[in-house]
Amino acid sequence: MQAKHPKESRTTLTDLVLPSETNPLNNLFGGELLARMDRAASIAARRHSRRIVVTASVNHVAFNKAIPLGSVVTVEAAVSRAFKSSMEIFIDVWVEDRESGNRSKANEAIYTFVAVDETGAPVGVPPLEPETELEKQRYDAALRRKQLSLVLAGKMKPNEATELKALFKD
């Protein structure tokens, strides 16, 4: 399979925060944001693999900043690393200031998707070639996250997690 670049999977969803999507403090429900991130990540994974994709895990979510009612929210997702049949998707969430129009980062997340065939069996995905410095950083970090996940699940021995071990060497 021919390698692809993160920009080929980049997905941007922009929407308004409506009253029915807010909590008693008039901020966007966390679950609503999770659903928006899942949709954007799903599209990014599908663009990369050109296959049916399913959410395998939500590896990290940081709710760093409340998103108030009436805000314009932009969710940006792109594949940060492709493995055999799985893809890590890095998601940035931006909120636009209503008066100035300036964007600030509100949240981020990392999801994992698996490409499957019509029967639900995993299928291979193209490799990923990062281009920018940020894409390269996210690409490298994805392997460490995968190794940590495998070690914690008992599917990899700690001494086999070479990328993790490298973090602790002088």
Side-chain angles (χ1 to χ4, degrees):
M1 275 185 251
Q2 186 170 346
K4 292 186 172 184
H5 302 287
K7 66 184 174 192
E8 295 175 74
S9 68
R10 191 162 325 288
T11 300
T12 303
L13 300 179
T14 301
D15 204 357
L16 190 65
V17 177
L18 300 174
S20 65
E21 302 165 331
T22 62
N23 62 25
L25 296 174
N26 283 326
N27 292 318
L28 183 65
F29 277 120
E32 174 64 29
L33 182 57
L34 288 169
R36 292 180 187 198
M37 291 188 293
D38 194 44
R39 283 191 291 276
S42 175
I43 294 166
R46 185 162 187 134
R47 284 179 172 166
H48 181 80
S49 65
R50 291 293 166 204
R51 303 299 297 244
I52 298 167
V53 294
V54 295
T55 309
S57 65
V58 177
N59 306 333
H60 167 77
V61 178
F63 294 106
N64 297 321
K65 184 177 178 182
I67 302 174
L69 173 66
S71 295
V72 173
V73 179
T74 300
V75 178
E76 296 176 345
V79 175
S80 50
R81 183 125 187 187
F83 296 97
K84 197 169 15 173
S85 61
S86 67
M87 295 155 282
E88 182 189 271
I89 316 299
F90 204 101
I91 304 156
D92 295 301
V93 179
W94 302 89
V95 64
E96 189 176 308
D97 182 83
R98 287 183 284 234
E99 293 179 16
S100 70
N102 292 333
R103 287 183 357 148
S104 60
K105 190 167 180 179
N107 302 293
E108 66 182 24
I110 300 168
Y111 283 43
T112 299
F113 278 76
V114 174
V116 297
D117 64 17
E118 291 72 20
T119 68
V123 294
V125 299
L128 187 78
E129 284 184 7
E131 296 178 293
T132 69
E133 194 56 41
L134 179 60
E135 290 169 354
K136 290 173 185 175
Q137 289 171 6
R138 289 178 173 180
Y139 179 89
D140 291 342
L143 181 56
R144 292 189 293 272
R145 283 188 288 273
K146 182 173 178 90
Q147 287 184 352
L148 178 60
S149 177
L150 291 171
V151 168
L152 292 174
K155 296 178 180 178
M156 176 184 269
K157 294 178 182 161
N159 66 336
E160 296 171 347
T162 56
E163 295 299 312
L164 282 177
K165 287 182 2 183
L167 290 175
F168 300 100
K169 291 187 177 184
D170 294 300

